[in-house]
Amino acid sequence: MLALGFSSGLPAVLVFGTLSIWLRARSVSLETIAFFSLVSLVYSVKFIWAPVVDRVGLPLITARLGLRRSWMLVSQLLVALGLCILAGIDAPARLQLTAALAGLIGLASATQDIAIDAWRIEAGSESRSGVLAASYQWGYRIAMLVAGAVPLMLAEPFGWNASYAAMTALTSIGMVAVLLAPAEDVIVPTRAHAINHVTRAFIDPVRDFFHQHGRGAALALVLVCTYRLPDLVRSIGGPFYIDIGFTLAEIARVQRVWGIVMTMVGVGAGGVAVTRFGLRRALVIGAACGPIAGIALAWMAMEGRNLLALVVTTSIEQAAGGFAGTCLIAYMSSLTSRGFTATQYALLSSLFTLPGRLLGSQSGRIVEAAANAAAGGTVLTPVISLFSTLPAGSYATAAMPSALAAGYAVFFVYSAALGLPTILLALKARHFQTQAISG
C-alpha cells in the first residue's frame, strides 16, 4: 500500500506542479501555464467513469491479475508512457503535445486512483483498513516530496529531460507493487446488472443525500465547493517563485521539502482542532486559512527575492492548507450516510475541486492583466510605488519588475477575497447544524 500510494502521488505532482516550473523557467506565459491546470479537472470528474473501472474487466489481463490490479497496471503503463515521451521532447517548445501528454497522464493517474481505492477496501480486512489508509497517505506524501524536489535539483546540473527520465523510472515501483499484491476477491458482473449498478452508483446516493440533509443540503454543497477556493485558484505558485528570482534548488528545499513538513504540521493541527473544539468551530477556523495564506503570498510578492520571507510564507501557506484540508475531509465525511459512504464521499471530493480549478485556469491571465494595468497608467498604477525597493534580482526577467510584482500582489489579494464569503458560509453551516440538533 505504501508503494501504491507513491505510485498515485508521483504523476499528479509531476504534471500539475513541477511541469509548470519547467514551462516558466523557459518563459512560457503565465496565461498558458494556468490553462494547463484545466488538465487536473480529470481528477474532479473521475466519478463519471468509476463505474466502468468498478465493473468492467480488461481483455486477457483481468483473467490473470484480477479486476483491480489489471486496471492499476494498465493505468501505470500509460503514465509511464506519457512521462517517457515528455522526457524525450522539448516541452516548452511543443506546448500542444505537452498538453496532450499531460491529459493522458492525468486521465491514467485518476483511473489508477479509482482502482487503488477499490483494491485497498476489498483486499484488506476491516481490522487492517486503518493501517492501509495510513500507508497510502504516507506513500502519497513521499511521492509529493520526491516528485516536487528531486526534478528541480536534477534540472539545474543535468537538464529537465534527464530529471523527467529519472521520474519515469520511478513508476516501476508501483508496477512491482501491483504484481506482488494479493488479488482481491471480486466477481466481474454480467451486462444484465449494468443498469441496476448505474442506479446504485449515482441516483440512490444523490437522492439519499438530499433526503438526509433536507434544507441544509444546498448550503452544504455550496460550502464544499467554495471551501478550498482560495488555494485552488492559485495554480501559478511555482512560476511565481521562478519570477521572483529563486533558484530551482531554493524552491526545492523550501517549497517542496520544508513545505511538506509544514503541511503535515497543519494536518496534525487540524485533527487536534476538530477533536478539541468540535467540527463546526474547526470548520470556521479552516475557512479563514485560505484568505490568510493569500495575504501572506501578497506580502511575499512585495518582499521579492528574500529567502527568509520564502520560508515564512511557505510555512503559513502549507500549514494553513493542511489545516483546512483536514477540516474539509472531516466535514465531507460527516455529510455521508451509512450505506452510501463511498459514493457520496467520492462525489463530494470531486465537487470541492471543480470551481477552484476552473477559476485557476484564469490565474495567469489575471496576473498579467493586473501587471499591464499597473504599468499602463490605470487605477492600479499607484500600487507600483509599494514595490520601489525590491531586492536585487527580483523579477529580473520582467520588462518592468515592479509592475509584475504588483500584478502578483493584486492576484493574491483577489484569491484571499474569494475566501471571505466561505467564512460566512461556515458560520451559517455551524448555526444550521446547531438548530438541527436542538430541533
Side-chain angles (χ1 to χ4, degrees):
M1 201 69 246
L2 185 74
L4 291 176
F6 181 89
S7 179
S8 179
L10 191 73
V13 179
L14 289 173
V15 173
F16 307 125
T18 306
L19 181 60
S20 67
I21 296 179
W22 182 3
L23 297 179
R24 190 55 176 172
R26 287 282 301 277
S27 300
V28 175
S29 72
L30 293 175
E31 180 179 351
T32 300
I33 293 172
F35 272 118
F36 268 77
S37 66
L38 288 175
V39 176
S40 64
L41 287 175
V42 294
Y43 286 93
S44 301
V45 297
K46 63 183 180 182
F47 64 87
I48 294 175
W49 68 92
V52 176
V53 179
D54 195 30
R55 313 298 277 184
V56 178
L58 297 170
L60 302 176
I61 188 172
T62 294
R64 297 179 63 87
L65 293 179
L67 183 64
R68 309 306 183 197
R69 293 195 302 158
S70 62
W71 275 103
M72 279 191 275
L73 185 60
V74 169
S75 299
Q76 290 168 350
L77 289 171
L78 290 174
V79 168
L81 175 64
L83 290 175
C84 184
I85 298 174
L86 192 60
I89 66 171
D90 185 357
R94 305 187 64 181
L95 289 176
Q96 290 184 341
L97 177 57
T98 301
L101 291 171
L104 169 66
I105 296 168
L107 180 62
S109 177
T111 303
Q112 178 190 212
D113 289 353
I114 297 169
I116 288 176
D117 286 336
W119 181 87
R120 173 175 53 82
I121 294 169
E122 295 164 351
S125 63
E126 185 175 347
S127 62
R128 300 174 65 189
S129 61
V131 109
L132 290 175
S135 298
Y136 176 84
Q137 288 295 326
W138 275 107
Y140 198 98
R141 299 297 176 183
I142 293 170
M144 290 179 64
L145 178 61
V146 171
V150 174
L152 303 188
M153 294 177 177
L154 293 177
E156 285 190 332
F158 303 109
W160 283 103
N161 295 99
S163 69
Y164 266 75
M167 294 300 101
T168 302
L170 293 181
T171 60
S172 61
I173 293 175
M175 297 179 196
V176 172
V178 168
L179 297 176
L180 295 178
E184 77 288 349
D185 185 17
V186 175
I187 299 175
V188 180
T190 62
R191 292 172 182 250
H193 296 93
I195 296 178
N196 289 334
H197 177 68
V198 169
T199 301
R200 290 197 305 272
F202 293 107
I203 300 176
D204 289 350
V206 172
R207 184 190 296 123
D208 174 82
F209 181 87
F210 282 94
H211 174 74
Q212 182 76 16
H213 298 286
R215 291 178 302 157
L219 175 64
L221 291 176
V222 173
L223 180 58
V224 166
C225 288
T226 60
Y227 197 77
R228 299 299 304 277
L229 197 59
D231 301 315
L232 291 170
V233 299
R234 295 192 287 260
S235 60
I236 51 169
F240 169 56
Y241 295 114
I242 286 288
D243 282 346
I244 284 183
F246 293 111
T247 66
L248 295 179
E250 289 170 337
I251 297 172
R253 288 195 300 268
V254 179
Q255 263 282 301
R256 306 308 188 186
V257 179
W258 177 245
I260 291 293
V261 173
M262 293 309 299
T263 297
M264 299 308 294
V265 169
V267 168
V272 171
V274 171
T275 302
R276 178 165 296 184
F277 306 126
L279 175 57
R280 302 301 157 175
R281 290 181 180 177
L283 196 67
V284 175
I285 298 171
C289 286
I292 290 171
I295 296 302
L297 286 162
W299 170 73
M300 177 80 242
M302 296 174 64
E303 288 295 306
R305 195 184 187 288
N306 182 325
L307 196 57
L308 178 59
L310 176 62
V311 173
V312 171
T313 302
T314 297
S315 300
I316 295 173
E317 180 192 13
Q318 299 300 328
F323 187 101
T326 299
C327 295
L328 180 60
I329 289 172
Y331 179 61
M332 291 192 299
S333 299
S334 74
L335 295 174
T336 61
S337 304
R338 189 175 297 275
F340 298 104
T341 302
T343 301
Q344 289 179 347
Y345 188 85
L347 289 169
L348 290 171
S349 62
S350 296
L351 283 175
F352 97 82
T353 62
L354 271 173
R357 283 173 173 163
L358 287 172
L359 286 176
S361 67
Q362 303 300 310
S363 58
R365 176 177 292 181
I366 293 172
V367 172
E368 292 177 339
N372 291 333
T378 67
V379 68
L380 291 179
T381 300
V383 178
I384 293 181
S385 62
L386 299 174
F387 304 88
S388 58
T389 58
L390 289 170
S394 301
Y395 307 99
T397 60
M400 190 174 179
S402 57
L404 182 57
Y408 272 116
V410 168
F411 169 74
F412 289 131
V413 170
Y414 149 79
S415 74
L418 287 176
L420 298 180
T422 305
I423 300 174
L424 300 178
L425 284 171
L427 288 167
K428 179 66 175 176
R430 179 185 171 195
H431 176 64
F432 182 88
Q433 182 71 7
T434 303
Q435 287 183 326
I437 292 173
S438 62

